[in-house]
Amino acid sequence: MSLKDLLQIDIPLIQAPMAGVQLHELAAAVSNTGALGSLPCAMLDATGLERELTALRSKTDKPFNLNFFCHTPAQPEAEREAGWRAALAPYYAELGIDPASIPSGPGRQPFSAELAEVLERFKPAVVSFHFGLPAPELLQRVKATGAKVLSSATTVEEAIWLEQNGADAIIAQGLEAGGHRGMFLTDDITSQLGTFALLPQVVAAVKVPVIAAGGIADADGVRAAMSLGANGVQIGTAYLCTPQASTSAIHRAALQSPAARHTALTNLFSGRPARGIVNRVMRELGPISKVAPGFPLATAAITPLRSKAESQGSGDFTPLWSGQNASGCKPIDASELTLELAQGFTR
Ligand SMILES: Cc1cc2nc3c(=O)[nH]c(=O)nc-3n(C[C@H](O)[C@H](O)[C@H](O)COP(=O)(O)O)c2cc1C
């Protein structure tokens, strides 16, 4: 079955869910254009999810995708947290932040029974997961709503695992991709493949449709992915400067500057490797740090630095998530961008 038929869409393009930089406005604009808009739900509780879903449904009657994380949250370790705060201490002093005032606690919640209950009421057409799939009984509840289930694979082994465990289509997330690596069977960065190495190998290894993600920034990139056997594409970074995204002014400026040509994987902002534009804290402490607590616990201690620096107009402590190819980031309407990218399917 084609991806268009599976997801009931006219254009086999998925606007990547991007937690922290977009809500229903972007998803609605893309879905209304005939592609698949996505609502990132990793930072929403059940009340927030219901609010966003109500707003999204009021703006589109087309299919859309709801995206959840399904990680096992790291357990707090006092020693690790103390080491992390010690590494950040010079910055607290520099920015005048009292370390005693910093709250601890997780920044992102995994998919849960409470969130599944909201899905049962709203019955979205598509649900995608990052970091594998939820426990079988939760996945069963999602599937029972009639939703098609997608998840990201960063290696051939992950793609095979996802197919065997119930994914209806697989997003082959190449190393170029912005934001968090969806890796879940390994934490070995050296196992990660670029999009055009990963994609054909995943296509050869599974029977379900394969969606290419990572580094696709224009219609030519879409065409190249399709010629390597993709059934569709998922694009994130290119949407970050559209008016429907809530990307901050600091982040938008970085994406449209020469600085965007230098990205790296970093665990400093959350505890898991994610790709962003190299900034001061990444240069000075990482980009990968052994002392940062596990996902999502690293977030709490760095957030006050981010807030204070941003209030002074600086992105030195901001996760400037971006893929390796930010050349497609343009301040144009998301529907116009979708139609530009969709030309890659036709010529
Ligand atoms: C700012 C940003 C936030 C992201 N957040 C999520 C997320 O919440 N869930 C998810 O599944 N993927 C997330 N991703 C990864 C995308 O799904 C996708 O793999 C990636 O955007 C594709 O590469 P590209 O950015 O080069 O287009 C994010 C990517 C970016 C750039």
Side-chain angles (χ1 to χ4, degrees):
M1 186 190 280
S2 79
L3 192 70
K4 289 201 282 186
D5 291 341
L6 182 71
L7 307 183
Q8 305 154 47
I9 49 179
D10 298 327
I11 303 170
L13 181 157
I14 303 174
Q15 163 253 314
M18 295 186 286
V21 295
Q22 58 126 158
L23 285 168
H24 69 271
E25 292 86 352
L26 180 57
V30 174
S31 285
N32 282 332
T33 312
L36 192 72
S38 298
L39 180 70
C41 305
M43 291 159 105
L44 298 175
D45 59 13
T47 311
L49 176 58
E50 201 160 334
R51 184 191 61 236
E52 284 300 311
L53 275 171
T54 305
L56 185 49
R57 276 269 154 82
S58 77
K59 289 196 171 149
T60 186
D61 54 6
K62 297 275 176 60
F64 51 75
N65 167 40
L66 299 186
N67 172 259
F68 299 91
F69 287 0
C70 49
H71 56 287
T72 305
Q75 289 308 306
E77 293 169 57
E79 214 172 297
R80 191 108 184 251
E81 185 64 29
W84 181 221
R85 290 183 182 219
L88 297 175
Y91 301 120
Y92 294 144
E94 181 185 322
L95 292 174
I97 291 166
D98 174 9
S101 69
I102 298 167
S104 53
R108 295 167 180 87
Q109 295 289 350
F111 188 62
S112 62
E114 202 189 355
L115 296 169
E117 196 269 321
V118 181
L119 296 198
E120 282 160 353
R121 275 186 285 124
F122 280 84
K123 299 195 187 332
V126 184
V127 173
S128 73
F129 293 101
H130 217 38
F131 314 133
L133 289 169
E137 61 276 14
L138 274 182
L139 181 63
Q140 213 29 59
R141 284 179 65 177
V142 175
K143 291 203 144 208
T145 68
K148 299 297 177 222
V149 171
L150 319 178
S151 183
S152 299
T154 67
T155 62
V156 176
E157 288 72 22
E158 287 179 349
I160 293 169
W161 187 95
L162 290 174
E163 180 177 54
Q164 285 172 348
N165 286 275
D168 296 303
I170 289 164
I171 303 154
Q173 190 197 31
L175 192 50
E176 299 92 321
H180 284 94
R181 308 280 321 128
M183 56 206 293
F184 61 95
L185 290 183
T186 174
D187 57 9
D188 180 357
I189 292 290
T190 64
S191 69
Q192 302 291 285
L193 304 179
T195 303
F196 283 7
L198 177 66
L199 173 62
Q201 297 191 71
V202 170
V203 168
V206 300
K207 292 195 177 63
V208 294
V210 179
I211 299 149
I216 303 172
D218 54 24
D220 285 336
V222 171
R223 192 171 306 111
M226 296 305 282
S227 77
L228 280 177
N231 303 95
V233 297
Q234 175 160 302
I235 297 177
T237 299
Y239 281 96
L240 286 171
C241 291
T242 62
Q244 287 94 344
S246 53
T247 316
S248 70
I250 288 170
H251 195 172
R252 280 174 200 260
L255 286 161
Q256 293 177 93
S257 77
R261 295 188 197 123
H262 187 191
T263 65
L265 292 181
T266 181
N267 65 346
L268 299 181
F269 299 108
S270 70
R272 250 185 194 267
R275 184 173 296 283
I277 298 169
V278 174
N279 61 1
R280 178 180 165 198
V281 73
M282 285 166 70
R283 262 192 309 273
E284 294 180 1
L285 292 187
I288 298 288
S289 161
K290 284 201 167 63
V291 297
F295 186 82
L297 299 174
T299 310
I302 205 166
T303 298
L305 293 168
R306 171 190 179 167
S307 308
K308 189 69 184 281
E310 285 184 358
S311 74
Q312 299 168 357
S314 156
D316 282 353
F317 299 91
T318 300
L320 300 167
W321 302 138
S322 172
Q324 286 183 329
N325 188 354
S327 66
C329 275
K330 293 181 281 190
I332 61 171
D333 196 87
S335 50
E336 194 183 335
L337 176 63
T338 303
L339 293 175
E340 274 188 15
L341 293 164
Q343 287 177 21
F345 298 112
T346 54
R347 63 178 162 83

